[in-house]
Amino acid sequence: DGGITQSPKYLFRKEGQNVTLSCEQNLNHDAMYWYRQDPGQGLRLIYYSQIVNDFQKGDIAEGYSVSREKKESFPLTVTSAQKNPTAFYLCASSVSEGYTFGSGTRLTVV
Amino acid sequence: GNSVTQMEGPVTLSEEAFLTINCTYTATGYPSLFWYVQYPGEGLQLLLKATKADDKGSNKGFEATYRKETTSFHLEKGSVQVSDSAVYFCALIRPGAGSYQLTFGKGTKLSVIP
């Protein structure tokens, strides 16, 4: 079955460490996205990529970095510069207006 | 810019009650409108959508009508079930320059009690 896989589902890291969240899709979608979800804030766009080897900042890109070396993969690195990294992170891919979301990674920084 | 405003929750209803979750939007042109649902600990699933004025989207007993005159896309269900307990997001896409970015509301948490 085609879909998006995010791993791990739960991630714990110490403050000051970088951490990379994985997102893989086998839907052959060109566009991929990373969202951050906080209680009462909805989903906010971190980064998006419309094609391999290209990506753009979203609304809250500070403290995050991404790469898009393969069509199937769009990993997100949460750097130590991100002031409040504890959140639920969702990856998505799309073709036109049809989006597919992963099941998310809950990151807790202690 | 584009924005979506939806009623704040949480909303608590008894089983078989009528549900309305209000959603209004601001966008230039003719956006497509969506309702997504998120069950606990999961990602988002498309519930329904409408792509032009007066269109009605429907799925699993939920309905929403694209009202351009009031810039609204309110979600309704005649009789909710406990299994409908989830967070509901209203969203829009205003295509431009080849981009199909979703703009979300803040979400409304629905709890249905037996």
Side-chain angles (χ1 to χ4, degrees):
Chain A
D1 282 341
I4 292 190
T5 301
Q6 289 188 243
S7 60
K9 194 167 180 66
Y10 299 95
L11 192 52
F12 295 87
R13 277 296 181 268
K14 290 186 178 179
E15 198 170 333
Q17 289 181 336
N18 291 357
V19 60
T20 297
L21 282 59
S22 169
C23 177
E24 304 277 333
Q25 55 104 353
N26 60 5
L27 299 164
N28 202 34
H29 288 173
D30 284 317
M32 297 188 74
Y33 311 80
W34 274 105
Y35 294 90
R36 172 180 170 140
Q37 186 176 11
D38 297 283
Q41 299 248 27
L43 278 75
R44 294 180 289 171
L45 182 65
I46 304 172
Y47 268 98
Y48 65 101
S49 166
Q50 297 188 73
I51 198 167
V52 174
N53 292 323
D54 188 43
F55 48 83
Q56 286 80 40
K57 294 181 179 179
D59 301 318
I60 55 165
E62 185 175 347
Y64 299 97
S65 66
V66 293
S67 63
R68 186 85 188 277
E69 297 176 3
K70 298 186 300 182
K71 189 174 188 177
E72 301 78 20
S73 179
F74 192 41
L76 173 74
T77 297
V78 185
T79 76
S80 56
Q82 168 51 232
K83 301 248 185 293
N84 185 17
T86 294
F88 188 59
Y89 291 88
L90 279 168
C91 180
S93 68
S94 76
V95 55
S96 183
E97 297 184 344
Y99 274 65
T100 301
F101 286 82
S103 56
T105 293
R106 185 165 298 281
L107 172 65
T108 303
V109 175
V110 296
Chain B
N2 304 328
S3 67
V4 175
T5 303
Q6 60 182 106
M7 62 186 287
E8 294 189 16
V11 174
T12 302
L13 295 173
S14 297
E15 205 164 20
E16 299 183 3
F18 185 84
L19 169 71
T20 299
I21 301 178
N22 291 337
C23 171
T24 58
Y25 66 90
T26 300
T28 56
Y30 300 91
S32 296
L33 302 175
F34 304 83
W35 278 100
Y36 281 88
V37 59
Q38 184 181 35
Y39 298 102
E42 297 184 9
L44 273 66
Q45 302 173 25
L46 177 65
L47 181 59
L48 53 84
K49 70 176 185 180
T51 57
K52 60 183 189 295
D54 300 325
D55 265 4
K56 177 185 281 188
S58 61
N59 185 26
K60 300 182 181 178
F62 291 89
E63 292 183 340
T65 301
Y66 190 142
R67 301 286 188 202
K68 187 156 179 65
E69 64 276 14
T70 54
T71 61
S72 65
F73 194 54
H74 305 320
L75 182 68
E76 296 183 336
K77 187 174 185 182
S79 176
V80 294
Q81 305 300 312
V82 172
S83 57
D84 294 326
S85 298
V87 180
Y88 293 82
F89 292 93
C90 186
L92 67 82
I93 289 177
R94 182 183 168 275
S99 170
Y100 293 89
Q101 288 187 41
L102 275 165
T103 299
F104 287 96
K106 292 189 175 182
T108 303
K109 184 175 181 179
L110 170 66
S111 297
V112 180
I113 55 177

